[in-house]
Amino acid sequence: MNDLKPPRLAGDDRATIMALWQYQRESFVRKVDGLSDEDARRVLVPSGTSLLWLAQHLCMAEQLWVLQRFAGIDAAALDPRLVPGDSLGSAVAAYRATWRAVDDVVSASPLDAMCRNVEGPPTPLRWVIAHLLEETARHAGHADIIRELIDGRTGR
């Protein structure tokens, strides 16, 4: 696995946070690249987390926060439960397709625009993006550990 370093930019806030988020998205996908569906389903930690579940979860989180809660789109969120027939390839393809839809919404919206469908305090898009960047980076780290347990491969 390549150990690619994160991008360093001299851009504005939006360009910087979007580049770092994309780096983390791609880092996660690199961590699961080349695995069999059997390995992607393996549970090697007490929490029950698998690489397939993480791919589904990251896809669902972006759909939920940006498409549904921020944009108010009635997107069919990916169910994070594993079912027979799910494949790592289909989960990664859905995740990548979600990036395009999410990025279209984000690029067309001011960072201080508020979510439409969130209970509790007002939630701006800036917070949503930062939260998803944090969530993606955290789960990419989990994926790195699980991948290392499966076949010894590490890297960003």
Side-chain angles (χ1 to χ4, degrees), residues 2-53:
N2 293 332
D3 192 23
L4 301 175
K5 296 189 185 307
R8 292 192 185 175
L9 302 173
D12 63 11
D13 288 349
R14 179 187 300 269
T16 300
I17 199 167
M18 293 305 294
L20 290 171
W21 187 14
Q22 187 60 33
Y23 167 79
Q24 291 297 335
R25 288 165 159 171
E26 291 170 0
S27 180
F28 175 82
V29 170
R30 281 191 302 275
K31 289 174 192 324
V32 301
D33 185 52
L35 283 175
S36 68
D37 288 338
E38 181 181 334
D39 280 339
R41 290 175 171 280
R42 287 179 67 185
V43 174
L44 301 170
V45 293
S47 67
T49 301
S50 72
L51 293 173
L52 177 56
W53 182 87

CSV table of all heavy atoms in Angstrom, one decimal, residues 2-53:
chain,number,residue,atom,x,y,z
A,2,ASN,N,0.6,2.2,-0.8
A,2,ASN,CA,1.4,3.4,-0.9
A,2,ASN,C,1.2,4.2,0.4
A,2,ASN,O,0.1,4.3,0.9
A,2,ASN,CB,1.0,4.3,-2.1
A,2,ASN,CG,1.4,3.6,-3.4
A,2,ASN,OD1,2.4,2.8,-3.4
A,2,ASN,ND2,0.7,3.9,-4.4
A,3,ASP,N,2.2,4.9,0.8
A,3,ASP,CA,2.1,5.8,2.0
A,3,ASP,C,2.1,7.2,1.4
A,3,ASP,O,3.1,7.9,1.4
A,3,ASP,CB,3.3,5.6,2.9
A,3,ASP,CG,3.1,6.3,4.3
A,3,ASP,OD1,1.9,6.5,4.6
A,3,ASP,OD2,4.0,6.6,4.9
A,4,LEU,N,0.9,7.6,1.0
A,4,LEU,CA,0.8,9.0,0.4
A,4,LEU,C,0.5,10.0,1.4
A,4,LEU,O,-0.4,9.8,2.3
A,4,LEU,CB,-0.4,9.0,-0.7
A,4,LEU,CG,-0.2,8.0,-1.8
A,4,LEU,CD1,-1.5,8.0,-2.7
A,4,LEU,CD2,1.0,8.3,-2.6
A,5,LYS,N,1.2,11.1,1.4
A,5,LYS,CA,1.1,12.1,2.4
A,5,LYS,C,-0.1,13.0,2.0
A,5,LYS,O,-0.4,13.2,0.8
A,5,LYS,CB,2.4,12.9,2.5
A,5,LYS,CG,3.5,12.1,3.0
A,5,LYS,CD,4.7,12.9,3.3
A,5,LYS,CE,5.9,12.1,3.7
A,5,LYS,NZ,5.8,11.2,4.8
A,6,PRO,N,-0.7,13.7,3.0
A,6,PRO,CA,-1.8,14.6,2.7
A,6,PRO,C,-1.4,15.8,1.9
A,6,PRO,O,-0.2,16.2,2.0
A,6,PRO,CB,-2.4,15.0,4.1
A,6,PRO,CG,-1.3,14.7,5.1
A,6,PRO,CD,-0.4,13.6,4.4
A,7,PRO,N,-2.3,16.4,1.1
A,7,PRO,CA,-1.9,17.5,0.3
A,7,PRO,C,-1.7,18.7,1.2
A,7,PRO,O,-2.3,18.9,2.3
A,7,PRO,CB,-3.1,17.7,-0.6
A,7,PRO,CG,-4.3,17.2,0.2
A,7,PRO,CD,-3.7,16.0,1.0
A,8,ARG,N,-0.8,19.6,0.8
A,8,ARG,CA,-0.6,20.9,1.5
A,8,ARG,C,-1.0,22.0,0.5
A,8,ARG,O,-0.4,22.0,-0.6
A,8,ARG,CB,0.9,21.1,1.9
A,8,ARG,CG,1.2,20.1,3.0
A,8,ARG,CD,2.6,20.4,3.6
A,8,ARG,NE,2.9,19.4,4.5
A,8,ARG,CZ,4.1,19.4,5.2
A,8,ARG,NH1,5.0,20.3,4.9
A,8,ARG,NH2,4.3,18.4,6.0
A,9,LEU,N,-1.9,22.8,0.9
A,9,LEU,CA,-2.5,23.8,0.0
A,9,LEU,C,-2.3,25.2,0.6
A,9,LEU,O,-2.2,25.4,1.8
A,9,LEU,CB,-3.9,23.6,-0.2
A,9,LEU,CG,-4.3,22.2,-0.8
A,9,LEU,CD1,-5.8,22.1,-0.8
A,9,LEU,CD2,-3.8,22.1,-2.2
A,10,ALA,N,-2.3,26.2,-0.2
A,10,ALA,CA,-2.3,27.6,0.2
A,10,ALA,C,-3.6,28.2,-0.2
A,10,ALA,O,-3.7,29.4,-0.5
A,10,ALA,CB,-1.1,28.3,-0.4
A,11,GLY,N,-4.7,27.4,-0.3
A,11,GLY,CA,-6.0,27.8,-0.8
A,11,GLY,C,-6.8,28.4,0.4
A,11,GLY,O,-6.4,28.5,1.5
A,12,ASP,N,-8.1,28.7,0.0
A,12,ASP,CA,-9.0,29.2,1.0
A,12,ASP,C,-9.5,28.1,1.9
A,12,ASP,O,-9.2,26.9,1.7
A,12,ASP,CB,-10.1,30.0,0.4
A,12,ASP,CG,-11.0,29.1,-0.6
A,12,ASP,OD1,-10.9,27.9,-0.5
A,12,ASP,OD2,-11.8,29.7,-1.3
A,13,ASP,N,-10.4,28.4,2.9
A,13,ASP,CA,-10.9,27.4,3.8
A,13,ASP,C,-11.6,26.2,3.1
A,13,ASP,O,-11.4,25.1,3.4
A,13,ASP,CB,-11.9,28.0,4.8
A,13,ASP,CG,-11.2,28.9,5.8
A,13,ASP,OD1,-9.9,28.9,5.9
A,13,ASP,OD2,-11.9,29.6,6.5
A,14,ARG,N,-12.5,26.6,2.1
A,14,ARG,CA,-13.2,25.6,1.4
A,14,ARG,C,-12.3,24.6,0.7
A,14,ARG,O,-12.4,23.4,0.8
A,14,ARG,CB,-14.2,26.2,0.4
A,14,ARG,CG,-15.0,25.1,-0.3
A,14,ARG,CD,-15.9,25.7,-1.4
A,14,ARG,NE,-16.8,26.7,-0.9
A,14,ARG,CZ,-18.1,26.4,-0.5
A,14,ARG,NH1,-18.5,25.1,-0.6
A,14,ARG,NH2,-18.9,27.3,0.0
A,15,ALA,N,-11.3,25.2,-0.1
A,15,ALA,CA,-10.4,24.3,-0.9
A,15,ALA,C,-9.6,23.4,0.0
A,15,ALA,O,-9.4,22.3,-0.3
A,15,ALA,CB,-9.5,25.2,-1.7
A,16,THR,N,-9.1,24.0,1.1
A,16,THR,CA,-8.3,23.2,2.1
A,16,THR,C,-9.1,22.1,2.7
A,16,THR,O,-8.6,20.9,2.7
A,16,THR,CB,-7.7,24.1,3.2
A,16,THR,OG1,-6.9,25.1,2.5
A,16,THR,CG2,-6.9,23.4,4.1
A,17,ILE,N,-10.2,22.4,3.3
A,17,ILE,CA,-11.0,21.3,3.9
A,17,ILE,C,-11.5,20.3,3.0
A,17,ILE,O,-11.5,19.1,3.3
A,17,ILE,CB,-12.1,21.9,4.8
A,17,ILE,CG1,-12.6,20.8,5.8
A,17,ILE,CG2,-13.3,22.4,4.0
A,17,ILE,CD1,-13.4,21.4,6.9
A,18,MET,N,-11.9,20.7,1.8
A,18,MET,CA,-12.4,19.7,0.8
A,18,MET,C,-11.2,18.8,0.3
A,18,MET,O,-11.4,17.6,0.1
A,18,MET,CB,-13.0,20.4,-0.4
A,18,MET,CG,-14.4,21.1,0.0
A,18,MET,SD,-15.6,20.0,0.8
A,18,MET,CE,-16.0,18.9,-0.6
A,19,ALA,N,-10.0,19.4,0.1
A,19,ALA,CA,-8.9,18.6,-0.3
A,19,ALA,C,-8.5,17.6,0.8
A,19,ALA,O,-8.2,16.4,0.5
A,19,ALA,CB,-7.7,19.5,-0.6
A,20,LEU,N,-8.5,18.0,2.0
A,20,LEU,CA,-8.2,17.1,3.1
A,20,LEU,C,-9.3,16.0,3.3
A,20,LEU,O,-8.9,14.8,3.5
A,20,LEU,CB,-8.0,17.8,4.4
A,20,LEU,CG,-6.7,18.7,4.5
A,20,LEU,CD1,-6.8,19.6,5.7
A,20,LEU,CD2,-5.5,17.8,4.4
A,21,TRP,N,-10.5,16.3,3.1
A,21,TRP,CA,-11.6,15.4,3.2
A,21,TRP,C,-11.4,14.3,2.0
A,21,TRP,O,-11.5,13.1,2.3
A,21,TRP,CB,-12.9,16.1,3.1
A,21,TRP,CG,-14.1,15.2,3.3
A,21,TRP,CD1,-14.2,14.0,3.8
A,21,TRP,CD2,-15.5,15.6,3.0
A,21,TRP,NE1,-15.5,13.5,3.9
A,21,TRP,CE2,-16.3,14.5,3.4
A,21,TRP,CE3,-16.1,16.8,2.6
A,21,TRP,CZ2,-17.7,14.6,3.3
A,21,TRP,CZ3,-17.4,16.8,2.4
A,21,TRP,CH2,-18.2,15.7,2.8
A,22,GLN,N,-11.2,14.8,0.8
A,22,GLN,CA,-11.0,13.9,-0.3
A,22,GLN,C,-9.8,13.0,-0.1
A,22,GLN,O,-9.9,11.8,-0.4
A,22,GLN,CB,-10.9,14.7,-1.6
A,22,GLN,CG,-10.9,13.8,-2.9
A,22,GLN,CD,-12.1,13.0,-3.0
A,22,GLN,OE1,-13.2,13.4,-2.6
A,22,GLN,NE2,-12.0,11.8,-3.5
A,23,TYR,N,-8.8,13.5,0.5
A,23,TYR,CA,-7.6,12.7,0.8
A,23,TYR,C,-8.0,11.6,1.7
A,23,TYR,O,-7.6,10.4,1.5
A,23,TYR,CB,-6.5,13.6,1.4
A,23,TYR,CG,-5.4,12.8,2.0
A,23,TYR,CD1,-4.4,12.2,1.2
A,23,TYR,CD2,-5.3,12.6,3.4
A,23,TYR,CE1,-3.4,11.4,1.8
A,23,TYR,CE2,-4.3,11.8,3.9
A,23,TYR,CZ,-3.3,11.2,3.1
A,23,TYR,OH,-2.4,10.5,3.7
A,24,GLN,N,-8.7,11.9,2.7
A,24,GLN,CA,-9.2,10.9,3.7
A,24,GLN,C,-10.1,9.8,3.0
A,24,GLN,O,-10.0,8.6,3.3
A,24,GLN,CB,-9.8,11.5,4.9
A,24,GLN,CG,-8.8,12.3,5.8
A,24,GLN,CD,-7.7,11.4,6.4
A,24,GLN,OE1,-7.9,10.2,6.6
A,24,GLN,NE2,-6.6,12.0,6.7
A,25,ARG,N,-11.0,10.3,2.2
A,25,ARG,CA,-11.9,9.4,1.5
A,25,ARG,C,-11.0,8.4,0.7
A,25,ARG,O,-11.2,7.2,0.7
A,25,ARG,CB,-12.8,10.1,0.5
A,25,ARG,CG,-13.9,11.0,1.1
A,25,ARG,CD,-14.4,11.9,0.1
A,25,ARG,NE,-15.8,12.4,0.3
A,25,ARG,CZ,-16.3,13.4,-0.4
A,25,ARG,NH1,-15.6,14.0,-1.4
A,25,ARG,NH2,-17.5,13.8,-0.1
A,26,GLU,N,-10.1,8.9,-0.1
A,26,GLU,CA,-9.3,8.1,-1.0
A,26,GLU,C,-8.4,7.2,-0.1
A,26,GLU,O,-8.1,6.1,-0.5
A,26,GLU,CB,-8.5,9.0,-1.9
A,26,GLU,CG,-9.4,9.6,-3.0
A,26,GLU,CD,-8.7,10.7,-3.8
A,26,GLU,OE1,-7.5,10.9,-3.6
A,26,GLU,OE2,-9.4,11.2,-4.7
A,27,SER,N,-7.9,7.7,1.0
A,27,SER,CA,-7.1,6.9,1.9
A,27,SER,C,-7.9,5.7,2.3
A,27,SER,O,-7.3,4.5,2.4
A,27,SER,CB,-6.6,7.7,3.1
A,27,SER,OG,-5.8,7.0,4.0
A,28,PHE,N,-9.1,5.9,2.7
A,28,PHE,CA,-9.9,4.7,3.1
A,28,PHE,C,-10.1,3.7,2.0
A,28,PHE,O,-9.9,2.5,2.2
A,28,PHE,CB,-11.3,5.2,3.6
A,28,PHE,CG,-12.2,4.0,3.9
A,28,PHE,CD1,-12.1,3.4,5.1
A,28,PHE,CD2,-13.1,3.5,3.0
A,28,PHE,CE1,-12.9,2.2,5.4
A,28,PHE,CE2,-13.8,2.3,3.2
A,28,PHE,CZ,-13.7,1.7,4.5
A,29,VAL,N,-10.4,4.2,0.8
A,29,VAL,CA,-10.5,3.3,-0.3
A,29,VAL,C,-9.2,2.5,-0.6
A,29,VAL,O,-9.3,1.3,-0.9
A,29,VAL,CB,-11.1,4.1,-1.6
A,29,VAL,CG1,-11.0,3.2,-2.8
A,29,VAL,CG2,-12.5,4.5,-1.3
A,30,ARG,N,-8.1,3.2,-0.5
A,30,ARG,CA,-6.8,2.5,-0.7
A,30,ARG,C,-6.6,1.4,0.3
A,30,ARG,O,-6.0,0.4,0.0
A,30,ARG,CB,-5.6,3.5,-0.6
A,30,ARG,CG,-5.4,4.3,-1.8
A,30,ARG,CD,-4.1,5.1,-1.8
A,30,ARG,NE,-3.9,6.0,-0.7
A,30,ARG,CZ,-4.4,7.2,-0.6
A,30,ARG,NH1,-5.0,7.7,-1.7
A,30,ARG,NH2,-4.2,8.0,0.4
A,31,LYS,N,-7.1,1.6,1.5
A,31,LYS,CA,-6.9,0.6,2.6
A,31,LYS,C,-7.7,-0.7,2.3
A,31,LYS,O,-7.4,-1.8,2.8
A,31,LYS,CB,-7.3,1.2,3.9
A,31,LYS,CG,-6.4,2.2,4.4
A,31,LYS,CD,-6.8,2.8,5.7
A,31,LYS,CE,-6.0,4.0,6.0
A,31,LYS,NZ,-4.6,4.0,5.8
A,32,VAL,N,-8.8,-0.6,1.6
A,32,VAL,CA,-9.6,-1.8,1.3
A,32,VAL,C,-9.4,-2.3,-0.1
A,32,VAL,O,-9.9,-3.4,-0.5
A,32,VAL,CB,-11.1,-1.5,1.5
A,32,VAL,CG1,-11.4,-1.0,2.9
A,32,VAL,CG2,-11.7,-0.5,0.5
A,33,ASP,N,-8.6,-1.6,-0.9
A,33,ASP,CA,-8.3,-2.1,-2.3
A,33,ASP,C,-7.6,-3.4,-2.3
A,33,ASP,O,-6.7,-3.7,-1.5
A,33,ASP,CB,-7.4,-1.0,-3.0
A,33,ASP,CG,-7.1,-1.4,-4.4
A,33,ASP,OD1,-8.1,-1.6,-5.1
A,33,ASP,OD2,-6.0,-1.4,-4.8
A,34,GLY,N,-8.1,-4.3,-3.2
A,34,GLY,CA,-7.5,-5.6,-3.3
A,34,GLY,C,-7.9,-6.7,-2.4
A,34,GLY,O,-7.5,-7.8,-2.5
A,35,LEU,N,-8.8,-6.3,-1.5
A,35,LEU,CA,-9.3,-7.3,-0.5
A,35,LEU,C,-10.4,-8.2,-1.1
A,35,LEU,O,-11.2,-7.7,-1.9
A,35,LEU,CB,-9.8,-6.7,0.8
A,35,LEU,CG,-8.8,-6.2,1.8
A,35,LEU,CD1,-9.5,-5.4,2.9
A,35,LEU,CD2,-8.0,-7.3,2.3
A,36,SER,N,-10.5,-9.4,-0.7
A,36,SER,CA,-11.7,-10.2,-1.1
A,36,SER,C,-12.9,-9.8,-0.3
A,36,SER,O,-12.7,-9.2,0.8
A,36,SER,CB,-11.4,-11.7,-0.8
A,36,SER,OG,-11.3,-11.9,0.6
A,37,ASP,N,-14.1,-10.2,-0.7
A,37,ASP,CA,-15.3,-9.9,0.0
A,37,ASP,C,-15.2,-10.6,1.4
A,37,ASP,O,-15.6,-10.1,2.4
A,37,ASP,CB,-16.5,-10.3,-0.7
A,37,ASP,CG,-16.8,-9.3,-1.9
A,37,ASP,OD1,-16.4,-8.2,-1.8
A,37,ASP,OD2,-17.5,-9.8,-2.8
A,38,GLU,N,-14.6,-11.8,1.4
A,38,GLU,CA,-14.5,-12.6,2.6
A,38,GLU,C,-13.6,-11.8,3.6
A,38,GLU,O,-14.0,-11.7,4.8
A,38,GLU,CB,-13.9,-13.9,2.3
A,38,GLU,CG,-13.7,-14.8,3.6
A,38,GLU,CD,-13.1,-16.1,3.2
A,38,GLU,OE1,-13.2,-16.6,2.1
A,38,GLU,OE2,-12.5,-16.7,4.1
A,39,ASP,N,-12.5,-11.3,3.2
A,39,ASP,CA,-11.6,-10.5,4.1
A,39,ASP,C,-12.3,-9.2,4.5
A,39,ASP,O,-12.2,-8.8,5.7
A,39,ASP,CB,-10.3,-10.2,3.4
A,39,ASP,CG,-9.3,-11.4,3.5
A,39,ASP,OD1,-9.5,-12.3,4.4
A,39,ASP,OD2,-8.4,-11.4,2.7
A,40,ALA,N,-13.1,-8.6,3.6
A,40,ALA,CA,-13.8,-7.3,3.9
A,40,ALA,C,-14.8,-7.5,5.0
A,40,ALA,O,-15.2,-6.6,5.7
A,40,ALA,CB,-14.4,-6.7,2.7
A,41,ARG,N,-15.4,-8.7,5.1
A,41,ARG,CA,-16.4,-9.1,6.1
A,41,ARG,C,-15.8,-9.5,7.4
A,41,ARG,O,-16.5,-9.6,8.4
A,41,ARG,CB,-17.3,-10.2,5.6
A,41,ARG,CG,-18.2,-9.8,4.4
A,41,ARG,CD,-19.0,-11.0,3.9
A,41,ARG,NE,-20.0,-10.6,3.0
A,41,ARG,CZ,-21.2,-10.1,3.4
A,41,ARG,NH1,-21.5,-10.0,4.6
A,41,ARG,NH2,-22.0,-9.7,2.5
A,42,ARG,N,-14.5,-9.8,7.4
A,42,ARG,CA,-13.9,-10.3,8.6
A,42,ARG,C,-14.0,-9.4,9.8
A,42,ARG,O,-13.8,-8.2,9.6
A,42,ARG,CB,-12.4,-10.7,8.4
A,42,ARG,CG,-12.2,-11.9,7.6
A,42,ARG,CD,-10.8,-12.2,7.3
A,42,ARG,NE,-10.1,-12.6,8.5
A,42,ARG,CZ,-8.8,-12.9,8.6
A,42,ARG,NH1,-8.1,-12.8,7.5
A,42,ARG,NH2,-8.3,-13.2,9.7
A,43,VAL,N,-14.4,-9.9,11.0
A,43,VAL,CA,-14.5,-9.1,12.2
A,43,VAL,C,-13.3,-9.6,13.1
A,43,VAL,O,-13.3,-10.7,13.5
A,43,VAL,CB,-15.8,-9.4,12.9
A,43,VAL,CG1,-15.9,-8.7,14.2
A,43,VAL,CG2,-17.0,-8.9,12.0
A,44,LEU,N,-12.4,-8.6,13.3
A,44,LEU,CA,-11.2,-8.9,14.1
A,44,LEU,C,-11.0,-8.1,15.3
A,44,LEU,O,-10.0,-8.2,16.0
A,44,LEU,CB,-9.9,-8.7,13.2
A,44,LEU,CG,-9.9,-9.5,11.9
A,44,LEU,CD1,-8.8,-9.0,11.0
A,44,LEU,CD2,-9.7,-11.0,12.2
A,45,VAL,N,-12.1,-7.3,15.6
A,45,VAL,CA,-12.0,-6.5,16.8
A,45,VAL,C,-13.3,-6.7,17.6
A,45,VAL,O,-14.4,-7.0,17.0
A,45,VAL,CB,-11.9,-5.0,16.5
A,45,VAL,CG1,-10.5,-4.7,15.9
A,45,VAL,CG2,-12.9,-4.5,15.5
A,46,PRO,N,-13.3,-6.5,18.9
A,46,PRO,CA,-14.5,-6.8,19.7
A,46,PRO,C,-15.7,-6.0,19.4
A,46,PRO,O,-16.9,-6.4,19.6
A,46,PRO,CB,-14.0,-6.5,21.2
A,46,PRO,CG,-12.6,-6.7,21.1
A,46,PRO,CD,-12.1,-6.3,19.8
A,47,SER,N,-15.5,-4.8,18.8
A,47,SER,CA,-16.7,-4.0,18.4
A,47,SER,C,-17.5,-4.5,17.3
A,47,SER,O,-18.7,-4.1,17.0
A,47,SER,CB,-16.2,-2.6,18.0
A,47,SER,OG,-15.5,-2.6,16.8
A,48,GLY,N,-17.0,-5.5,16.6
A,48,GLY,CA,-17.7,-6.1,15.5
A,48,GLY,C,-17.5,-5.4,14.1
A,48,GLY,O,-18.1,-5.7,13.1
A,49,THR,N,-16.6,-4.4,14.1
A,49,THR,CA,-16.4,-3.6,12.9
A,49,THR,C,-15.7,-4.5,11.9
A,49,THR,O,-14.7,-5.2,12.2
A,49,THR,CB,-15.5,-2.4,13.3
A,49,THR,OG1,-16.2,-1.6,14.3
A,49,THR,CG2,-15.2,-1.5,12.1
A,50,SER,N,-16.1,-4.3,10.6
A,50,SER,CA,-15.4,-4.9,9.5
A,50,SER,C,-15.2,-3.8,8.5
A,50,SER,O,-15.8,-2.8,8.5
A,50,SER,CB,-16.3,-6.0,8.8
A,50,SER,OG,-17.4,-5.5,8.1
A,51,LEU,N,-14.3,-4.1,7.5
A,51,LEU,CA,-14.0,-3.1,6.5
A,51,LEU,C,-15.2,-2.9,5.6
A,51,LEU,O,-15.5,-1.8,5.1
A,51,LEU,CB,-12.8,-3.6,5.7
A,51,LEU,CG,-11.5,-3.6,6.5
A,51,LEU,CD1,-10.4,-4.2,5.7
A,51,LEU,CD2,-11.1,-2.2,6.9
A,52,LEU,N,-16.0,-3.9,5.3
A,52,LEU,CA,-17.2,-3.7,4.5
A,52,LEU,C,-18.2,-2.8,5.3
A,52,LEU,O,-18.8,-1.9,4.7
A,52,LEU,CB,-17.9,-5.1,4.2
A,52,LEU,CG,-19.2,-5.0,3.4
A,52,LEU,CD1,-19.0,-4.2,2.1
A,52,LEU,CD2,-19.7,-6.4,3.1
A,53,TRP,N,-18.4,-3.1,6.5
A,53,TRP,CA,-19.3,-2.2,7.3
A,53,TRP,C,-18.8,-0.8,7.3
A,53,TRP,O,-19.6,0.1,7.2
A,53,TRP,CB,-19.4,-2.7,8.8
A,53,TRP,CG,-20.3,-1.9,9.6
A,53,TRP,CD1,-21.7,-2.1,9.7
A,53,TRP,CD2,-20.0,-0.7,10.3
A,53,TRP,NE1,-22.2,-1.1,10.4
A,53,TRP,CE2,-21.2,-0.2,10.9
A,53,TRP,CE3,-18.9,-0.1,10.6
A,53,TRP,CZ2,-21.3,0.9,11.7
A,53,TRP,CZ3,-18.9,1.1,11.4
A,53,TRP,CH2,-20.1,1.5,11.9
